[in-house]
Amino acid sequence: MENTSHKAGFVNIIGNPNVGKSTLMNRLVGERLSIITAKAQTTRHRIKGIVNGDDYQIVYSDLPGILTPAYKMQEYMMRFVNESLKDADLILYVIECGDTNYNQEIIERLQQVTIPILLVINKTDKVAEDIITATKTHWQNLLPKAETIEISALTGHHINLLLEKIIVLLPESPPFFPKDELTDRPLRFFISEIIREKILLLYKKEIPYSVEVVIESFKETEDMVHIGAMLYCERESQKGIIIGSKGSAIKQLGIEARHAIEDFLEKHIFLDISVKVLKEWRNQDLMMKRFGYLQD
């Protein structure tokens, strides 16, 4: 008799900022869902990516990097991480090879969970074997029940092995989402993330962390998509930096964002970017709800 069993589960990806979680997420999903920059705290929301095989469905979640909150937005970001420990079938705890920093509260919670944990040591392709060994020993002492795997999310080293381990650990279950779905996020979310990625790359210091991107209009015609984006910052001085001398900075942002969005949508777009000051928005509960930090 043919085996018709099916596996499905939620696999949540957590770890310190800037350890390559988003690169790993995109590698596992096979699509560029999470934005990637060299700066820490790139991921703000919980982003799901869905991977389907003939007899399995994996729902990955890329979570914000673990940090000590400095304002309300980061408090909500850490809520995503804490909630992920409750609803996961499997946790991928990603660390950078050589990294020994950890959040005591999160580690204590992970020590108590009954679900499987895979300790994913990333960026192992360019370090000496003794550093890999020391990293593994350090983290195995903290999470003795976790199984360890060494990978490089950037090159794809051992990604197939990681996938095999994930599938083995999934519970038997029917799919949670239709087999043709890639993510639970709407199109506007990914467009706003593309723009935010370009902000992270083009601006320095506090600017990228003080800006929220909202897609206020999206009108599609047969050969063009018209997109209106509003950038919210906290101070007039930040608005001036975003716009730049004679509009030079925001013009460059528009050019780079437009090219990236056109690649994403595979269609010509007209992109209109505006900037508005919303004082202390990162510390306002109402703004957290408005900007989607309470809807994940």
Side-chain angles (χ1 to χ4, degrees), residues 157-172:
H157 178 65
H158 278 176
I159 292 296
N160 288 338
L161 178 59
L162 175 59
L163 176 60
E164 292 171 7
K165 288 181 179 290
I166 290 169
I167 294 171
V168 168
L169 293 169
L170 290 178
E172 289 198 3

Side-chain angles (χ1 to χ4, degrees), residues 13 22-34 47-52 58-61 159 181-183:
I13 308 172
S22 297
T23 304
L24 176 59
M25 166 80 161
N26 293 340
R27 176 73 68 172
L28 288 166
V29 175
E31 296 285 347
R32 201 169 185 275
L33 297 182
S34 294
I47 303 171
K48 292 187 177 74
I50 305 162
V51 174
N52 291 288
I58 307 171
V59 185
Y60 293 106
S61 287
I159 292 296
E181 283 194 19
L182 177 64
T183 180

